[in-house]
Amino acid sequence: MLNKGRNRIYSSYEPDEIDAVAVARILTDAIPVHLNNAQDIDYLHNYTKGIQPVLDRTKEVRPEINNKIVENHAYEIVEFKTGYCFGSPVTYVARAKNDDRVQTTDYTTDKKEPSEQPSKLRKRGNEDKVNKLNTLCLNDDKPNTDRELADWIFECGVGYKATFPLSASAMRRKEKSAPPFHTSVLDPRNTFCVYSTNMEHSKLLSCSYHRKHGSGQIDTVEIVAYTDDNVYTTSLPYSMPVADDSDQSTSWMDIVVSGTTQFEVAPNPMGINPIVEYDANTSRLGSFEPVIELLDALNETVSNRVDGVEQFVQSFIKFINCDIDEDTFKAMKELGAIKVQSNGQYTADVDIITSELNQDQTQTLVEDMYNKVLAIAGVPDRRASAGGNTGQALIIGQGWTNAESRALSFEKMFFKSERETILVTLKILQSYPQFKVTGLETADIDIKFTRNRTDNLLNKSQVLLNLLQAGVHPLGAISLSDITSDPENLYAMSEEFIVPKWKVDNTQQEERTGTDDMTNKKQDADSAKNAQRNAKANDTTTSGDNNAQNDAINKAKSEQ
């Protein structure tokens, strides 16, 4: 039975306690866990290749019609994930840093005019060294190595990459521009890492083994374990009889589990563990592993549909009130017709037993299961949607937004392990100053995934323009608009064009501010005068009204 997710291997040892005896004891507990993982990895790897349970299905009714159809959606999911994340090479870029130049302030004696003060620009440090590192990795065929690694990661949830320095003889066979290291992808079925149970979960060792054909009929298993300080090696018989006259044999795994393995110890010339473990996610699940039951159900449904069509075509023939012998039946199949005669009140008839599968309902079920597979696995539905939708609605509705968020989540997991690989590579390059990358550190390097960002480009460019007009820093505007996967690089290339265009001149700003203040003061003075004038007019009107009222009262009294 498939165990969902690969188990991480732990040991209670500390990194400074590792020696030959400790390695033997660690492998005693690690090998059984690794073998369970290896069994699952082998199953998932074969599943991706199309070796799936439907090929072993049996059929009790009409067993001669038993179609075994594999719709290999597992391969579809793995290929989409690998192509979407690693279709373009993963590259290294120099990390941007703030300029260390000190700007003059108001309280300094060498005060400059605001328009003459240098702006605090961002620049990339060690850019030349990082570019040389990219060239070396490209010469080592890093894009294909990453793609091979991605296939294992998305198939079974884990992958392993090892970086070793080239030997002197190998260097002589290479070109002068060839890198002094080689990175290869290891098979996770015979590679694993062991971590400490301490709070840091420090890596204790990495181990890889392979079967080696010896002289005669004796095969051996070569086991190599790496730590930062030492390399532990041993050679064990692949299998050996328990006794001279016994048919039973013991394998190399039994010897390792017994804890009696003797290791040879040699210093690690690199000073760092060369094998790095990559995880697809925290559960270490393959990309199609959460939906593997749905994939099996799809295969069964499709196989049954084909069986239904074939059974309808090859339906049974029923004979009513007539006897047909074998020779007559064969002649009927060859000629395509038969003659029957009724017997008195019993009417003779020949008919076909038909029971056709409802294809419409079956198709509804298939589409429902397939849509669930795509949604859970984070794969977009590439079928065309109904008309009338906007571009962004199509992107969200078809699942491309979900696919992008899954890819961003995977990138964070990949960055952690890739930095370990960069550290191993830089360790090796420190011994080769002729390549001019000495002194470079992992903190100086950013890892960039390059994906197509031209979708919905009109809206993204409009967002960029609005942010720039609102006064947002160009680097922040480029990042927020999501117009490129490397905002730093685009800003660096466009800096001499975009900064002068959107830079606000401080002098003009102050003049504009002063003019606005004077205008506001004049408007306030005019408003005050108008208010006084209105107040006087109101007083005059009120006085006139009072006099008229008194005259009317006096006139009324005189008339009386």
Side-chain angles (χ1 to χ4, degrees), residues 416-447:
K416 178 182 178 182
S417 299
E418 186 67 8
R419 291 198 178 280
E420 294 185 38
T421 298
I422 295 174
L423 181 60
V424 176
T425 304
L426 294 179
K427 279 277 190 179
I428 296 173
L429 289 173
Q430 297 306 315
S431 303
Y432 298 90
Q434 65 269 28
F435 291 101
K436 299 180 181 180
V437 294
T438 55
L440 193 63
E441 299 180 354
T442 57
D444 302 324
I445 301 172
D446 270 338
I447 305 164

Side-chain angles (χ1 to χ4, degrees), residues 11-148:
S11 176
S12 58
Y13 280 88
E14 294 291 337
D16 55 357
E17 298 174 349
I18 303 300
D19 55 19
V21 176
V23 169
R25 292 179 178 176
I26 290 173
L27 294 185
T28 298
D29 298 327
I31 283 293
V33 180
H34 163 69
L35 292 178
N36 288 334
N37 288 340
Q39 184 177 2
D40 293 340
I41 291 170
D42 188 63
Y43 178 83
L44 294 171
H45 181 61
N46 290 329
Y47 197 99
T48 306
K49 294 192 297 183
I51 305 174
Q52 301 181 10
V54 70
L55 298 176
D56 299 324
R57 82 174 193 141
T58 59
K59 194 163 173 284
E60 295 182 358
V61 179
R62 301 199 68 179
E64 73 278 5
I65 300 178
N66 185 15
N67 293 280
K68 303 173 182 180
I69 308 299
V70 175
E71 281 196 357
N72 201 347
H73 295 295
Y75 178 80
E76 174 192 1
I77 294 171
V78 171
E79 282 298 300
F80 170 78
K81 296 284 188 179
T82 302
Y84 190 69
C85 294
F86 294 89
S88 299
V90 178
T91 58
Y92 304 142
V93 296
R95 178 168 293 177
K97 297 181 179 180
N98 289 331
D99 198 342
D100 295 331
R101 292 177 296 175
V102 179
Q103 301 183 52
T104 56
T105 55
D106 293 339
Y107 52 81
T108 58
T109 56
D110 298 331
K111 180 179 179 181
K112 297 182 180 180
E113 294 298 325
S115 59
E116 299 177 356
Q117 292 184 4
S119 60
K120 194 172 183 180
L121 303 177
R122 296 169 64 87
K123 65 178 183 179
R124 292 172 182 258
N126 298 314
E127 187 169 2
D128 293 339
K129 293 182 179 180
V130 175
N131 290 337
K132 288 183 173 62
L133 177 62
N134 265 324
T135 302
L136 292 173
C137 292
L138 184 62
N139 291 339
D140 190 44
D141 201 17
K142 174 178 167 59
N144 285 333
T145 301
D146 287 341
R147 181 176 177 83
E148 183 183 354

Side-chain angles (χ1 to χ4, degrees), residues 128-234:
D128 293 339
K129 293 182 179 180
V130 175
N131 290 337
K132 288 183 173 62
L133 177 62
N134 265 324
T135 302
L136 292 173
C137 292
L138 184 62
N139 291 339
D140 190 44
D141 201 17
K142 174 178 167 59
N144 285 333
T145 301
D146 287 341
R147 181 176 177 83
E148 183 183 354
L149 175 69
D151 284 339
W152 282 114
I153 294 175
F154 291 126
E155 282 180 11
C156 59
V158 292
Y160 296 91
K161 188 190 287 188
T163 306
F164 296 98
L166 293 179
S167 61
S169 59
M171 286 288 292
R172 286 194 295 268
R173 294 193 298 268
K174 298 280 188 177
E175 298 177 346
K176 291 184 179 180
S177 60
F181 59 86
H182 177 64
T183 301
S184 58
V185 176
L186 305 181
D187 192 330
R189 291 171 292 187
N190 53 30
T191 307
F192 60 92
C193 293
V194 183
Y195 300 88
S196 175
T197 54
N198 59 22
M199 296 180 64
E200 298 178 358
H201 295 311
S202 308
K203 183 192 293 186
L204 297 178
L205 59 87
S206 59
C207 181
S208 182
Y209 59 89
H210 65 277
R211 183 176 180 177
K212 184 178 181 180
H213 295 289
S215 58
Q217 298 180 349
I218 301 176
D219 291 348
T220 59
V221 172
E222 307 294 324
I223 303 176
V224 184
Y226 295 93
T227 65
D228 290 341
D229 301 323
N230 299 309
V231 180
Y232 303 87
T233 59
T234 189

Side-chain angles (χ1 to χ4, degrees), residues 266-314:
N268 187 347
M270 293 181 290
I272 191 171
N273 195 325
I275 300 178
V276 179
E277 185 176 54
Y278 289 74
D279 297 336
N281 45 64
T282 55
S283 300
R284 293 153 65 95
L285 285 163
S287 57
F288 63 88
E289 199 170 347
V291 295
I292 197 167
E293 289 83 6
L294 283 172
L295 299 181
D296 291 338
L298 275 170
N299 288 337
E300 286 286 344
T301 304
V302 173
S303 299
N304 288 331
R305 290 181 73 177
V306 179
D307 286 348
V309 174
E310 188 172 351
Q311 288 171 173
F312 177 75
V313 174
Q314 301 180 14

Side-chain angles (χ1 to χ4, degrees), residues 490-508:
L490 181 59
Y491 175 72
M493 292 189 300
S494 309
E495 188 173 8
E496 60 178 319
F497 306 103
I498 200 171
V499 171
K501 180 177 178 60
W502 297 102
K503 182 179 179 181
V504 178
D505 186 66
N506 294 330
T507 304
Q508 296 179 359

Side-chain angles (χ1 to χ4, degrees), residues 340-458:
V340 294
Q341 186 175 359
S342 300
N343 184 11
Q345 62 179 353
Y346 300 103
T347 303
D349 189 16
V350 179
D351 197 3
I352 297 176
I353 302 176
T354 60
S355 179
E356 187 177 1
L357 185 67
N358 190 320
Q359 294 292 341
D360 292 336
Q361 294 180 0
T362 306
Q363 182 63 25
T364 302
L365 175 61
V366 168
E367 291 180 354
D368 180 64
M369 289 192 292
Y370 182 65
N371 290 334
K372 285 183 171 62
V373 167
L374 296 181
I376 297 172
V379 176
D381 185 0
R382 284 158 292 223
R383 293 171 297 180
S385 298
N389 291 333
T390 62
Q392 188 65 22
L394 287 175
I395 292 173
I396 297 174
Q398 293 178 350
W400 287 101
T401 301
N402 185 23
E404 178 66 17
S405 64
R406 299 285 186 94
L408 292 174
S409 178
F410 167 74
E411 287 178 12
K412 303 304 182 292
M413 299 290 296
F414 186 85
F415 288 164
K416 178 182 178 182
S417 299
E418 186 67 8
R419 291 198 178 280
E420 294 185 38
T421 298
I422 295 174
L423 181 60
V424 176
T425 304
L426 294 179
K427 279 277 190 179
I428 296 173
L429 289 173
Q430 297 306 315
S431 303
Y432 298 90
Q434 65 269 28
F435 291 101
K436 299 180 181 180
V437 294
T438 55
L440 193 63
E441 299 180 354
T442 57
D444 302 324
I445 301 172
D446 270 338
I447 305 164
K448 292 296 180 183
F449 281 80
T450 304
R451 285 192 293 278
N452 183 17
R453 301 291 181 132
T454 58
D455 58 281
N456 210 19
L457 187 59
L458 180 61

